[in-house]
Amino acid sequence: MNVVQIATAAANSGTPWLTVAGGIPLLGAIVVALLPVRLAKVTALAFAVVDLVWVIIMATQFNTSGPTYQFTEQYSWIPQFGVHYALGADGIALVLIGMTAVLMPVVILASWHDADESKRSPKLYFALMLVLDTMMIGVFAATDVFLFYVFFEAMLIPMYFMIGSFGVGPRQYAAVKFLLYSLLGGLLMLVAVIALYVYSSQSAVTGHHGTFMFYTLAQVSLSPTVQKWLFLGFFIAFAIKAPLWPFHTWLPDAAASAQPGAAVLMLGVMDKVGTFGIIRYCLELFPDGFHYFTPVVLVLSVISIIYGAIVAIGQNSMKRLIGYTSISHFGFIVLGIFALTSQGMSGATLYMVNHGFATGALLLLAGFMIVRRGSDRIADYGGVQKVAPVLAGFFLITGLAGLSLPGLSTFVSEFLVLVGTFSRYKVAGSFAVAGIVLAAIYILWMYQRTMNGPTVESVAAMPDLRLRELLAVVPLVALIIAMGIYPKPVLDVIDPAVNATMSQVHATDPIPAHPAPAAAQNGTTP
């Protein structure tokens, strides 16, 4: 389906599925802020569960054979500047919205007591989570570039306060660093967004009227030079958000200072906005710029994969270690995108979802251990599996998912990324494989130091997972296993959107150097 057909399909589609999906947590945040503390947590969880149910029902209405963008809404917002409140979801956006909806009730349940000892009211913490939920759904659903930018910047505010007001350690330093890095990237994107509007006003496609509508901007012809500059404006913002080396330095500090639940939302969902934005905007709006900078980005991706893994091996803090592993994983995701093959892009999108569940579960389990022991240092643990075998078992499964063990969800996505990369860039793919070996080192060594060996005195009385904690972790572990065994339903949603994106930028998969003989292709014997 080409852009014209997509734009034609982008009429208001009846039920405002996406508006309601974002509106439920926003309403919940308002209600939670007005309730007494003892009711705030239960109410926040209830709204998150209702939103999850709504998103599941919405997902069942998605037609994989229908228009690329579905659940579309479009209303004039600021007509003087061609700004619209426009929403729509293709398969890529839909699975990321689904991931967000799944993680939110899990995080709220796991974070039940995270803010109890804060000087601020715990209900503010849960209200901020729900506001962040709205912003993240909005950023994946926006089909107006200006609206996307608004959500992109707005989601920084609740996370800033979740780190700065409810975090641990040097939380204010980490929160300010997170905010400044993100605002710098957002400023560069704003310049590119304004320039994009100006160029659209000079195009006959728009009738010489400026617009921010994604469908229309994708038809505007821009010179290769303009595309390169605008690509940089968007890409740097997304590379900071992802984060990609060398724009990553804010992440380890933020991950270490945030409460585990906030870290899950930051690493599991917010960072996906960067890689999602690369597919949606950098590739589809600026294909010439995308191709021009591909060699550079491939190098940055490989460096991220190897650097993140090597530095993770040397970490003493569990949360910082998991933060650096995410830098390595995002290197794989960006590599899959810039390979510009259907396998690589499908694998990268599936990797976003699988990383959210696997890293989210690992962070939550690490958080449960930190609450029990009162320390984030790996050296302060040992022999935990003897006193908390269920916790240790789940920690092992989620850790193995982090190193992409076959049979678990991340293996499928990482395999697709590597296959897609090898088919076009064999050298980059070869270097990326080193990340798999290094992942085995940092995951298994962390597990050995914390769970195996003699039980240290400080964890001898550590209780195993409680019912609330099991209810938070079991769904994620079940998804990790289920999607590792049978990823087809998710890939069936992703693949049509990937094919539409490849078609839009006139990209095709590489032809094998030695195609099979015609007789073999027809299933006959020569």
Side-chain angles (χ1 to χ4, degrees), residues 244-365:
L244 187 71
W245 185 91
F247 308 100
H248 67 284
T249 56
W250 63 269
L251 178 65
D253 293 322
S257 296
Q259 292 287 357
V264 171
L265 295 179
M266 179 171 59
L267 296 176
V269 184
M270 283 186 65
D271 289 355
K272 306 302 190 310
V273 175
T275 45
F276 168 79
I278 291 173
I279 297 174
R280 176 67 73 251
Y281 298 100
C282 290
L283 174 55
E284 296 201 44
L285 294 183
F286 318 115
D288 288 341
F290 184 95
H291 288 292
Y292 180 80
F293 287 104
T294 289
V296 175
V297 179
L298 289 176
V299 172
L300 297 182
S301 301
V302 171
I303 292 175
S304 290
I305 292 169
I306 298 175
Y307 167 84
I310 291 175
V311 178
I313 293 172
Q315 294 304 305
N316 296 318
S317 157
M318 281 191 286
K319 288 197 290 185
R320 289 184 73 90
L321 186 150
I322 296 170
Y324 276 108
T325 67
S326 291
I327 294 171
S328 181
H329 293 153
F330 275 99
F332 275 108
I333 295 172
V334 176
L335 185 68
I337 295 170
F338 277 81
L340 201 57
T341 58
S342 56
Q343 299 99 329
M345 200 171 298
S346 292
T349 305
L350 186 62
Y351 210 138
M352 295 184 218
V353 178
N354 291 334
H355 175 269
F357 295 148
T359 300
L362 189 61
L363 270 170
L364 293 181
L365 288 164

Side-chain angles (χ1 to χ4, degrees), residues 2-3 26 54 70 117 130 135 149 228-229 241 246-247 331-332 344-345 363-364 388 391 456 493 506 524:
N2 59 33
V3 175
L26 184 61
W54 179 266
Q70 300 176 34
E117 298 181 5
L130 292 172
M135 300 302 150
Y149 175 78
K228 292 171 188 176
W229 285 107
K241 184 68 67 183
F247 308 100
F332 275 108
M345 200 171 298
L363 270 170
L364 293 181
L391 190 157
V456 299
V493 174
H506 306 292
T524 61

Side-chain angles (χ1 to χ4, degrees), residues 16-26 51 54-55 58 97 133-134 137:
W17 290 101
L18 293 168
T19 294
V20 174
I24 290 172
L26 184 61
D51 195 46
W54 179 266
V55 171
M58 179 181 73
I97 291 171
D133 192 11
T134 295
I137 291 174

Side-chain angles (χ1 to χ4, degrees), residues 9 43 65 128 162 176 195 199 202 210 213 220 246 276 318 376 423 427 463 488 490:
T43 303
S65 301
L128 288 171
M162 289 170 69
V176 171
Y199 282 108
Q202 301 170 358
M213 285 298 297
V220 173
F276 168 79
M318 281 191 286
D376 181 38
S423 65
V427 174
K488 184 177 183 297
V490 182

